[in-house]
Amino acid sequence: MTISQPPAAPVQKVGTGAEAKAAPAATETKAAPAAAKTTPTAAEAKTPASVAKAAPTPAEAKAPPAVAKTTPSPAVAKAPPAPASAPATKAAPAASAAPLTPLEPPKLRLRHRLMLLSFVLVVLLPGIVGMSYLFLRAADQYHSRAAFSVRSESFSGALTTLAAFTQIGQTSAPESAVLYDYIRSQELMQQVDARLDLRHIFNLHPRDVVFSLGDEATTEDMLDYWQRMVRVTLDSNTNILNIEVHAFRPEDAVAISQAVIDNSADLVNQLSAIARDDTMRAASEDLTEAQDRMRDLSGQIRAFRDQNSIIDPAQGVQGQMGVLGALQGQLASALIEKETLLPQASGQNDPRLTVVDRKIAAIRNQIAEERARVREPDGDEQSMSTVIGQYEGLLVDLEFARTAYTAAMAAMEQARAEARRQSRYVAVHINPTLAQESLYPRRWILSGLLFLGLFAGWAVMALAYYNMRDRG
């Protein structure tokens, strides 16, 4: 029985999945040996393992063994090999046609659920509670602003230069810095409380337990609350104080601001009064000391004059110098007279020359005595030079005492002039303002800060948990 041979052209295309399914089963089985004996090309040798291991088609898998062992025809056996340029991997479509298994959605584990629960409990619930409190129970707050500074007047007059001799340099803190601490102090808070009843003003809304003072607040608690509600800033360049007062009613904020300004002015007046009293006391003490010293020196000069029996030693010296000048003139006249008589004299025993010589000797002796009286003491008496030295020392001390006394008098007069006027005062630049709209508390800002803080805390705890989990 002769088996008809199929055409050669269809046999050359055996190998692809589509052609294998279109051809008859007998043809596929007879072409298999020829395809198996075909030498693979270089491109086919380099095909991936996935293509080499491709699953056979259903027709090939069910082919009977008898047909598979049928001897191929010569035409089929002599089929030319596939050219080198032909595609190497023609079984790839069969491999890609395999069905894909769908991925299952990720499941939440227990730790993920716990982390989500902690986020809700730590961040969302407290944030919502705090935000609800801010918008539902927190009371509206009104503010009042004011600005002032301490001004001082400089006084200068005709006695300022003389008073400078007795002034001592002093350094003190600026009055604005003193007022900055005073406004934040417990003393001012108590004074304003006695004037306005701060406990009633700061407890108008008892339902607002966060922003209200509280009925059972201690003095320390009230001071902390005062520093939160009364905010003061100091400009170091201009020494201007800016205060901002918060209250639950606008008129209460204005009243507190005005009370702060009034009490600050009273403090400045007290400091000015203390400074004036100190200046008056110091000037009075300096004047008393200058007067006592001048009286003491005047008594010493009087005792000196009584002891030496002379009013002014300088004038006595001038008298003696006049006497010496006169004696010098007489001596010169006598010497001229002697020179004139020498040509006319009959000898050294001339009586006229004898008289002239005696006169010259007497004048010279008198000059020597006058000079000795100035240089050397005479008995118990001191020399004139010593007397003059002591007297001049007393005169110098007396002159200095008089200058100090004059300066003390000038300082005293200036202190009295400053005491009659106010040298320091509080200058208000901005009077307390009356608010028409409530700007505090800043609910949206506080809510955002609350959520941000809660989220930061929760993130830190979560990171710490995962860190310990990874390490352990």
Side-chain angles (χ1 to χ4, degrees):
M1 181 176 179
T2 303
I3 300 173
S4 60
Q5 298 293 331
V11 175
Q12 295 179 359
K13 295 182 180 180
V14 174
T16 61
E19 294 172 354
K21 292 180 181 181
T27 305
E28 292 175 359
T29 55
K30 294 177 181 178
K37 295 180 180 179
T38 303
T39 303
T41 62
E44 292 173 350
K46 297 180 181 179
T47 55
S50 61
V51 177
K53 296 180 181 179
T57 60
E60 295 173 351
K62 296 179 180 179
V67 179
K69 294 180 180 180
T70 303
T71 303
S73 62
V76 176
K78 296 180 180 179
S85 59
T89 57
K90 292 184 179 181
S96 60
L100 298 177
T101 303
L103 297 177
E104 296 181 358
K107 297 181 179 180
L108 292 178
R109 297 184 179 180
L110 179 60
R111 64 173 182 271
H112 298 159
R113 296 176 181 177
L114 292 177
M115 190 62 62
L116 181 60
L117 180 61
S118 65
F119 179 80
V120 173
L121 295 178
V122 176
V123 179
L124 292 182
L125 288 181
I128 294 174
V129 171
M131 190 173 180
S132 301
Y133 182 87
L134 287 172
F135 283 91
L136 298 179
R137 300 197 63 177
D140 294 337
Q141 296 181 15
Y142 301 85
H143 72 282
S144 175
R145 292 191 177 96
F148 61 92
S149 62
V150 181
R151 304 292 300 273
S152 59
E153 297 179 356
S154 59
F155 176 78
S156 61
L159 300 177
T160 304
T161 305
L162 294 177
F165 289 100
T166 58
Q167 289 181 352
I168 300 176
Q170 297 179 355
T171 58
S172 59
E175 290 81 358
S176 300
V178 175
L179 288 181
Y180 176 82
D181 291 336
Y182 176 68
I183 294 173
R184 295 172 53 86
S185 65
Q186 180 179 344
E187 180 180 358
L188 177 62
M189 181 199 68
Q190 292 176 349
Q191 292 176 358
V192 177
D193 184 23
R195 176 177 174 179
L196 300 176
D197 191 6
L198 293 178
R199 293 183 180 273
H200 173 70
I201 292 176
F202 292 147
N203 286 317
L204 291 177
H205 299 276
R207 295 177 65 251
D208 186 1
V209 296
V210 175
F211 296 99
S212 295
L213 175 61
D215 297 333
E216 299 180 357
T218 61
T219 304
E220 289 75 14
D221 297 336
M222 188 174 180
L223 179 61
D224 295 337
Y225 189 83
W226 167 267
Q227 293 177 356
R228 293 199 308 269
M229 301 297 283
V230 180
R231 303 171 185 176
V232 55
T233 57
L234 173 62
D235 189 348
S236 59
N237 296 326
T238 59
N239 289 330
I240 295 179
L241 287 165
N242 296 277
I243 59 174
E244 181 177 342
V245 179
H246 293 188
F248 298 107
R249 293 184 300 187
E251 56 272 14
D252 291 338
V254 173
I256 294 174
S257 299
Q258 190 62 44
V260 169
I261 294 175
D262 294 342
N263 285 273
S264 299
D266 294 341
L267 177 63
V268 171
N269 293 334
Q270 293 177 6
L271 296 177
S272 300
I274 294 173
R276 288 195 299 267
D277 294 341
D278 292 340
T279 304
M280 289 290 295
R281 185 179 66 255
S284 178
E285 292 177 356
D286 293 341
L287 181 60
T288 302
E289 292 179 0
Q291 289 176 349
D292 295 339
R293 181 171 177 77
M294 191 174 64
R295 290 194 184 98
D296 183 46
L297 289 174
S298 298
Q300 292 180 14
I301 291 175
R302 183 172 59 254
F304 177 83
R305 290 171 177 174
D306 294 340
Q307 181 180 358
N308 294 276
S309 300
I310 186 172
I311 301 299
D312 191 355
Q315 293 180 359
V317 171
Q318 291 178 0
Q320 289 184 354
M321 295 303 295
V323 173
L324 287 174
L327 291 175
Q328 291 288 347
Q330 293 177 7
L331 179 60
S333 299
L335 291 175
I336 293 172
E337 184 180 359
K338 182 179 179 179
E339 293 295 331
T340 304
L341 292 176
L342 284 177
Q344 301 175 2
S346 57
Q348 293 293 335
N349 296 324
D350 190 343
R352 290 179 297 176
L353 293 175
T354 303
V355 173
V356 172
D357 290 338
R358 290 177 179 176
K359 183 179 180 181
I360 292 173
I363 293 173
R364 286 177 175 174
N365 290 334
Q366 188 64 32
I367 290 173
E369 290 179 0
E370 293 295 334
R371 290 177 176 175
R373 186 178 299 174
V374 174
R375 293 191 304 268
E376 299 177 359
D378 186 8
D380 296 336
E381 296 180 359
Q382 296 178 349
S383 63
M384 187 59 66
S385 61
T386 304
V387 172
I388 292 175
Q390 294 178 356
Y391 185 73
E392 288 179 351
L394 292 174
L395 288 180
V396 170
D397 293 340
L398 181 61
E399 186 66 23
F400 181 78
R402 287 176 179 173
T403 304
Y405 177 74
T406 304
M409 286 292 296
M412 189 66 182
E413 293 298 328
Q414 183 178 5
R416 290 175 180 173
E418 290 182 354
R420 287 192 294 267
R421 62 187 179 87
Q422 187 179 13
S423 58
R424 294 181 181 87
Y425 59 93
V426 172
V428 181
H429 307 289
I430 301 176
N431 291 317
T433 59
L434 180 63
Q436 296 182 354
E437 182 182 0
S438 172
L439 300 180
Y440 300 92
R442 299 187 181 275
R443 293 177 172 86
W444 288 108
I445 295 178
L446 293 178
S447 299
L449 293 176
L450 177 60
F451 276 104
L452 181 62
L454 293 174
F455 178 77
W458 174 82
V460 170
M461 291 188 296
L463 291 175
Y465 165 74
Y466 276 104
N467 188 14
M468 291 188 299
R469 177 177 172 272
D470 294 339
R471 292 173 179 267

